[in-house]
Amino acid sequence: MSMTKGRRHLGHRTVGAVALALALVTGGFLADTHVRGATPVSAEEAAQAQQATLRELADQRGVRMGTAIASHHLNQSDYARTAAAEFNSITHENDLKWETVQPQQGQFNWTNADRIVEFAEQNDQMIHGHTLVWHSQLPSWVADGNFTPDQLRGVMRDHINTTMGRYRGQIDTWDVVNEPIGDDARFRDSVFHRTLGVDFIAESFRMARAADPNARLFINDYNIDGINAKSNAYYDLVRDLLAQGVPIDGIGMQGHLISGQLPSDIQQNIQRFADLGLEVMITELDIRIQMPATQQKLEQQARDYETVANACYAVSGCSGVIVWGVTDAYSWVPDHFSGEGAALPIDENYQPKPAYWALHEVLGGDGGPVDPPPTEEPTDPPTDPPVGDCEASYQVVGEWNDGFQAEVTVTAGSNLTGWTVTWSFTGGEGVSHAWNASVSSSGSNITATNVAHNGTLSSGQSTTFGFVGTHNGTVGTPQLTCASS
Ligand code: G3I
């Protein structure tokens, strides 16, 4: 499936309006549902409506295509209409988090969370519950509390029982534990880990099962979309939890990604968790780009959405994709990543972007009407394969107190059946563990060789391996040498 064909924009009509028009024409799902603030649709608009919505396509395939929403936007008709028309699943972006629901001990506030649940019910949508036990957006009475283990268990049980109990039968999947492992692949410091050790995870799941025996229970995190140190740590964790009989049903890979920098092994990663018997979901997908957005960047982003969605829907244990917001207008990305944005499939004016049509096509739709060829934009010159056996490039992708994570991309200059990358650290760094390569150290000299699945590369083809390293204050970029082996 190619995303290189041009896409037509839908002029002044919003995505939701097209869906509404379609529903009126076809008697589809919106015809008999109540959409807050829906505006009348002209006969002309109805006649023009030709495309199925993402929701209709996902329903036909029996998969989840969801979005996160914020209760305070629901009185905007475009927002509500689009959320109802395009998605068969809803997640509270912030309104179900502990600090919102139980800001003071024993004082629960359901106003915003209820509003979203009512919206989903009115529109016959699933709800993915986010989230119960998380170190962030936690009220200070919990985060800074000085609890004995039994006191904290009581606090957790009360929060889980009350929250899940309120929505029993309405919320069928839950992020029970969110982000317990840090970028360094170690358990993250939190009141839960400090007080109960790693058992807080198993205990949370047992409490959640007791609170709603019919709900499916997930662990959820970011930067576990490909095979890397952090996802390896999750793999070991959930395998051990399952072996101990802990009631965990699924893993959410959040999918907060950067356009053009997707891991190459997303499907393989999803598959290995599905092979453990877990349901996998992409729970918070957004793919940010460096602003300003150009047509070329949006087309790359569309290919990235296509890659992620295909990776999920190709694995029978992957039940669907949830995007982290209805529209670029309210995405969390620009507030948290300076200079980046436009991360969602629907733009700030509720217009479908190439990424929308990419999802459409992956879900079995026609991918939208085809444009005349897009206007020429300057393109990067084609890159020549490297001269010699291969080249290797080095990128530090995360850094913390005493550690870092780096990725090395090997690009073949001729057909290879094996490769070796060597370098010397000059600032006292070291490698602690690696993936997708076999790495050995001799003092500051490092040698990385391919593993079985990534040694064979044809000329111009690339593969990436990664590692977690240690440092004493300096994280440099070493000179790499690459040779066939
Ligand atoms: O509610 C206050 C408001 O009163 C205040 O005026 C305003 C000023 O900045 O802040 C508001 O709170 C913001 C909150 O979102 C609600 O909008 C916080 O500053 C802001 O930091 C917070 O960001 C949320 C973030 O989680 C917090 O960690 C994002 O909206 C939300 O999209 C994001 O979602 C997380 C998932 O829950 C877990 N996975 C990662 C994902 C992205 O970070």
Side-chain angles (χ1 to χ4, degrees), residues 314-346:
V315 177
S316 62
C318 189
S319 54
V321 173
I322 298 168
V323 296
W324 203 239
V326 175
T327 154
D328 281 338
Y330 303 126
S331 161
W332 72 294
V333 167
D335 291 340
H336 289 74
F337 299 98
S338 174
E340 295 176 87
L344 292 166
I346 295 171

Short mmCIF file of all heavy atoms in Angstrom, two decimals, residues 314-346:
data_model
loop_
_atom_site.label_atom_id
_atom_site.label_comp_id
_atom_site.label_asym_id
_atom_site.label_seq_id
_atom_site.Cartn_x
_atom_site.Cartn_y
_atom_site.Cartn_z
N ALA A 314 -1.79 -5.93 11.42
CA ALA A 314 -1.25 -7.17 10.86
C ALA A 314 -1.12 -8.27 11.91
O ALA A 314 -0.96 -9.44 11.58
CB ALA A 314 0.13 -6.90 10.24
N VAL A 315 -1.15 -7.88 13.19
CA VAL A 315 -0.98 -8.87 14.26
C VAL A 315 -2.35 -9.14 14.87
O VAL A 315 -3.02 -8.22 15.33
CB VAL A 315 -0.01 -8.32 15.34
CG1 VAL A 315 0.12 -9.31 16.49
CG2 VAL A 315 1.37 -8.03 14.73
N SER A 316 -2.75 -10.40 14.89
CA SER A 316 -4.13 -10.67 15.32
C SER A 316 -4.34 -10.29 16.78
O SER A 316 -5.45 -9.96 17.17
CB SER A 316 -4.51 -12.12 15.07
OG SER A 316 -3.67 -12.95 15.82
N GLY A 317 -3.31 -10.27 17.60
CA GLY A 317 -3.48 -9.90 19.00
C GLY A 317 -3.51 -8.40 19.23
O GLY A 317 -3.68 -7.95 20.36
N CYS A 318 -3.35 -7.60 18.19
CA CYS A 318 -3.37 -6.13 18.35
C CYS A 318 -4.77 -5.64 18.01
O CYS A 318 -5.22 -5.77 16.87
CB CYS A 318 -2.31 -5.48 17.46
SG CYS A 318 -2.12 -3.70 17.79
N SER A 319 -5.46 -5.10 19.00
CA SER A 319 -6.89 -4.84 18.82
C SER A 319 -7.19 -3.45 18.27
O SER A 319 -8.32 -3.18 17.89
CB SER A 319 -7.62 -5.02 20.15
OG SER A 319 -7.03 -4.22 21.14
N GLY A 320 -6.20 -2.57 18.22
CA GLY A 320 -6.53 -1.29 17.61
C GLY A 320 -5.59 -0.16 17.98
O GLY A 320 -4.60 -0.34 18.70
N VAL A 321 -5.97 0.99 17.47
CA VAL A 321 -5.15 2.19 17.58
C VAL A 321 -6.01 3.31 18.17
O VAL A 321 -7.15 3.50 17.75
CB VAL A 321 -4.66 2.61 16.17
CG1 VAL A 321 -3.94 3.95 16.22
CG2 VAL A 321 -3.75 1.54 15.57
N ILE A 322 -5.45 4.02 19.13
CA ILE A 322 -6.10 5.21 19.68
C ILE A 322 -5.17 6.38 19.40
O ILE A 322 -3.98 6.32 19.75
CB ILE A 322 -6.31 5.05 21.20
CG1 ILE A 322 -7.25 3.87 21.49
CG2 ILE A 322 -6.85 6.34 21.81
CD1 ILE A 322 -7.29 3.45 22.96
N VAL A 323 -5.67 7.44 18.77
CA VAL A 323 -4.83 8.62 18.56
C VAL A 323 -5.03 9.58 19.73
O VAL A 323 -6.11 9.64 20.33
CB VAL A 323 -5.10 9.31 17.20
CG1 VAL A 323 -4.74 8.37 16.05
CG2 VAL A 323 -6.52 9.80 17.08
N TRP A 324 -3.96 10.35 20.04
CA TRP A 324 -3.98 11.12 21.29
C TRP A 324 -4.51 12.53 21.03
O TRP A 324 -3.82 13.52 21.22
CB TRP A 324 -2.59 11.12 21.95
CG TRP A 324 -2.65 11.39 23.42
CD1 TRP A 324 -2.04 12.42 24.09
CD2 TRP A 324 -3.33 10.63 24.42
NE1 TRP A 324 -2.33 12.34 25.44
CE2 TRP A 324 -3.12 11.25 25.67
CE3 TRP A 324 -4.14 9.48 24.37
CZ2 TRP A 324 -3.66 10.76 26.86
CZ3 TRP A 324 -4.68 9.00 25.56
CH2 TRP A 324 -4.44 9.64 26.79
N GLY A 325 -5.78 12.57 20.63
CA GLY A 325 -6.43 13.86 20.43
C GLY A 325 -7.24 13.86 19.15
O GLY A 325 -6.94 13.14 18.20
N VAL A 326 -8.27 14.72 19.14
CA VAL A 326 -9.18 14.79 17.99
C VAL A 326 -8.57 15.65 16.90
O VAL A 326 -8.71 15.36 15.71
CB VAL A 326 -10.54 15.38 18.44
CG1 VAL A 326 -11.47 15.60 17.27
CG2 VAL A 326 -11.17 14.48 19.49
N THR A 327 -7.91 16.73 17.29
CA THR A 327 -7.46 17.73 16.33
C THR A 327 -6.12 18.32 16.78
O THR A 327 -5.87 18.45 18.00
CB THR A 327 -8.50 18.87 16.21
OG1 THR A 327 -7.85 20.08 15.78
CG2 THR A 327 -9.19 19.18 17.52
N ASP A 328 -5.32 18.70 15.80
CA ASP A 328 -4.04 19.37 16.11
C ASP A 328 -4.25 20.61 16.99
O ASP A 328 -3.33 21.04 17.69
CB ASP A 328 -3.34 19.79 14.82
CG ASP A 328 -2.64 18.63 14.13
OD1 ASP A 328 -2.33 17.63 14.80
OD2 ASP A 328 -2.41 18.74 12.90
N ALA A 329 -5.46 21.18 16.94
CA ALA A 329 -5.70 22.41 17.70
C ALA A 329 -5.47 22.21 19.20
O ALA A 329 -5.08 23.14 19.90
CB ALA A 329 -7.13 22.89 17.46
N TYR A 330 -5.73 20.98 19.70
CA TYR A 330 -5.64 20.78 21.15
C TYR A 330 -4.65 19.69 21.54
O TYR A 330 -4.72 19.15 22.64
CB TYR A 330 -7.03 20.42 21.71
CG TYR A 330 -8.07 21.46 21.40
CD1 TYR A 330 -9.26 21.11 20.77
CD2 TYR A 330 -7.85 22.79 21.71
CE1 TYR A 330 -10.22 22.06 20.47
CE2 TYR A 330 -8.80 23.76 21.41
CZ TYR A 330 -9.98 23.38 20.79
OH TYR A 330 -10.91 24.33 20.50
N SER A 331 -3.74 19.38 20.64
CA SER A 331 -2.76 18.34 20.97
C SER A 331 -1.80 18.84 22.06
O SER A 331 -1.43 20.01 22.12
CB SER A 331 -1.97 17.99 19.71
OG SER A 331 -0.77 17.34 20.04
N TRP A 332 -1.36 17.91 22.91
CA TRP A 332 -0.41 18.25 23.98
C TRP A 332 0.98 18.56 23.42
O TRP A 332 1.80 19.16 24.10
CB TRP A 332 -0.29 17.07 24.96
CG TRP A 332 0.46 15.89 24.39
CD1 TRP A 332 0.08 15.10 23.35
CD2 TRP A 332 1.74 15.41 24.81
NE1 TRP A 332 1.03 14.15 23.09
CE2 TRP A 332 2.07 14.31 23.99
CE3 TRP A 332 2.64 15.78 25.81
CZ2 TRP A 332 3.25 13.58 24.12
CZ3 TRP A 332 3.82 15.06 25.94
CH2 TRP A 332 4.12 13.97 25.11
N VAL A 333 1.24 18.18 22.15
CA VAL A 333 2.62 18.19 21.63
C VAL A 333 3.26 19.59 21.63
O VAL A 333 4.37 19.75 22.17
CB VAL A 333 2.66 17.54 20.23
CG1 VAL A 333 3.99 17.82 19.54
CG2 VAL A 333 2.44 16.04 20.36
N PRO A 334 2.64 20.62 21.04
CA PRO A 334 3.35 21.91 20.99
C PRO A 334 3.69 22.47 22.36
O PRO A 334 4.68 23.17 22.52
CB PRO A 334 2.37 22.83 20.25
CG PRO A 334 1.46 21.92 19.51
CD PRO A 334 1.35 20.68 20.34
N ASP A 335 2.87 22.14 23.37
CA ASP A 335 3.15 22.64 24.73
C ASP A 335 4.35 21.95 25.37
O ASP A 335 4.93 22.46 26.32
CB ASP A 335 1.94 22.41 25.65
CG ASP A 335 0.77 23.28 25.26
OD1 ASP A 335 1.00 24.29 24.58
OD2 ASP A 335 -0.37 22.93 25.62
N HIS A 336 4.67 20.77 24.89
CA HIS A 336 5.71 19.98 25.55
C HIS A 336 6.98 19.83 24.71
O HIS A 336 8.02 19.48 25.24
CB HIS A 336 5.18 18.59 25.91
CG HIS A 336 4.18 18.61 27.03
ND1 HIS A 336 2.89 19.05 26.88
CD2 HIS A 336 4.30 18.28 28.34
CE1 HIS A 336 2.25 18.96 28.03
NE2 HIS A 336 3.09 18.49 28.94
N PHE A 337 6.89 20.06 23.39
CA PHE A 337 8.06 19.92 22.51
C PHE A 337 8.17 21.20 21.69
O PHE A 337 7.43 21.37 20.71
CB PHE A 337 7.94 18.71 21.58
CG PHE A 337 7.84 17.39 22.31
CD1 PHE A 337 6.61 16.79 22.54
CD2 PHE A 337 8.98 16.76 22.79
CE1 PHE A 337 6.52 15.59 23.21
CE2 PHE A 337 8.90 15.55 23.46
CZ PHE A 337 7.66 14.97 23.68
N SER A 338 9.09 22.05 22.08
CA SER A 338 9.21 23.34 21.43
C SER A 338 9.50 23.18 19.92
O SER A 338 10.40 22.42 19.54
CB SER A 338 10.34 24.11 22.11
OG SER A 338 10.57 25.28 21.44
N GLY A 339 8.74 23.86 19.10
CA GLY A 339 8.98 23.84 17.66
C GLY A 339 8.38 22.65 16.94
O GLY A 339 8.48 22.54 15.72
N GLU A 340 7.75 21.74 17.69
CA GLU A 340 7.15 20.56 17.05
C GLU A 340 5.63 20.61 17.18
O GLU A 340 5.10 21.26 18.08
CB GLU A 340 7.70 19.28 17.68
CG GLU A 340 9.18 19.09 17.43
CD GLU A 340 9.73 17.87 18.16
OE1 GLU A 340 9.67 16.78 17.61
OE2 GLU A 340 10.22 18.05 19.28
N GLY A 341 4.95 19.91 16.29
CA GLY A 341 3.49 19.91 16.36
C GLY A 341 2.87 19.11 15.24
O GLY A 341 3.49 18.18 14.72
N ALA A 342 1.63 19.50 14.87
CA ALA A 342 0.88 18.89 13.76
C ALA A 342 0.93 17.37 13.82
O ALA A 342 1.11 16.70 12.82
CB ALA A 342 1.41 19.39 12.43
N ALA A 343 0.73 16.81 15.02
CA ALA A 343 1.04 15.39 15.25
C ALA A 343 -0.13 14.45 14.97
O ALA A 343 0.06 13.24 14.99
CB ALA A 343 1.51 15.22 16.69
N LEU A 344 -1.32 15.00 14.73
CA LEU A 344 -2.52 14.17 14.64
C LEU A 344 -3.01 14.05 13.19
O LEU A 344 -2.60 14.84 12.32
CB LEU A 344 -3.60 14.74 15.55
CG LEU A 344 -3.27 14.63 17.04
CD1 LEU A 344 -4.18 15.51 17.88
CD2 LEU A 344 -3.34 13.17 17.50
N PRO A 345 -3.92 13.14 12.91
CA PRO A 345 -4.40 12.97 11.52
C PRO A 345 -5.38 14.04 11.06
O PRO A 345 -5.66 14.15 9.87
CB PRO A 345 -5.10 11.61 11.55
CG PRO A 345 -4.68 10.96 12.81
CD PRO A 345 -4.35 12.04 13.78
N ILE A 346 -5.93 14.82 11.99
CA ILE A 346 -6.91 15.85 11.64
C ILE A 346 -6.35 17.19 12.07
O ILE A 346 -5.88 17.33 13.21
CB ILE A 346 -8.26 15.54 12.31
CG1 ILE A 346 -8.84 14.22 11.74
CG2 ILE A 346 -9.25 16.69 12.10
CD1 ILE A 346 -10.07 13.71 12.47
#
